[in-house]
Amino acid sequence: GKGKGKGKGKAKGKGKAKGKGKKRTCAPVDSEFWSKKLEEENRIVLESEPLTGICTLYKEGQGWGWVVPDDIEAVPQEARDKMAEELETLKASGKEVKEENRIYFRKPDVEADFKIKKDSWVTFQVYIDDKGVGACEVSNAGGDDGIAEEAEAEAAPEA
């Protein structure tokens, strides 16, 4: 009849798949987690003019991504040498590398109010550490939303 089972207990675990555990997200920017990582990896920021490039991937839930510089020659030689070493190691281990000039970055290295995403046009500095090459001081170079297509017209040199 009508109302059968009404008010009898609550649906336990409704909507949750068994055995999945908590959904993991990356640590907040001001977390001690990032400070510890920084100390452990012996980071050295290389002196250069800010570089420009495009974010080709950003894993927001994990707090990391890749930027590709517009001009690889503008990247300091020390960083390019280390990038070449990393590339050889990856290829030797049988991994396919889609973009050879990509540079790793992580959440705390992105300007606080910049919502970075794939195809964002960025400026950044480069560092080397025990793990390889990375981008830091990553900031928006592409206007309001930072998407590359709209930014390219503004960046064109004037005649």
Side-chain angles (χ1 to χ4, degrees):
K2 277 189 173 178
K4 187 176 178 187
K6 189 174 181 184
K8 288 187 180 169
K10 291 193 164 99
K12 289 188 177 140
K14 187 179 178 190
K16 289 184 182 176
K18 286 188 173 144
K20 289 253 180 179
K22 283 184 185 175
K23 183 179 182 224
R24 296 187 188 269
T25 57
C26 75
V29 173
D30 55 0
S31 166
E32 206 176 284
F33 169 80
W34 298 115
S35 309
K36 276 186 178 170
K37 276 183 105 55
L38 203 61
E39 288 169 19
E40 292 166 3
E41 294 168 359
N42 302 314
R43 180 182 290 195
I44 301 165
V45 177
L46 302 177
E47 291 297 318
S48 75
E49 289 294 311
L51 301 163
T52 57
I54 289 183
C55 172
T56 58
L57 174 80
Y58 182 53
K59 297 273 191 182
E60 190 173 355
Q62 296 170 8
W64 65 272
W66 300 110
V67 293
V68 175
D70 292 334
D71 178 10
I72 192 64
E73 296 300 315
V75 175
Q77 187 63 49
E78 197 174 349
R80 283 186 287 163
D81 292 346
K82 201 145 183 155
M83 286 167 73
E85 285 172 29
E86 285 178 34
L87 191 61
E88 289 307 310
T89 305
L90 284 172
K91 285 181 175 177
S93 70
K95 290 193 176 156
E96 181 189 338
V97 181
K98 289 181 181 141
E99 177 52 68
E100 295 191 0
N101 295 330
R102 68 186 188 179
I103 299 173
Y104 172 86
F105 72 90
R106 56 186 173 214
K107 186 179 181 178
D109 290 318
V110 177
E111 192 176 64
D113 57 351
F114 178 29
K115 298 277 184 237
I116 194 167
K117 54 187 175 250
K118 188 177 189 294
D119 297 327
S120 291
W121 196 43
V122 297
T123 61
F124 60 95
Q125 293 290 86
V126 175
Y127 67 84
I128 57 171
D129 65 14
D130 296 347
K131 292 186 170 187
V133 177
C136 58
E137 298 173 35
V138 180
S139 55
N140 187 354
D144 292 339
D145 64 359
I147 298 297
E149 289 82 40
E150 287 131 37
E152 283 174 10
E154 295 168 28
E158 292 173 26

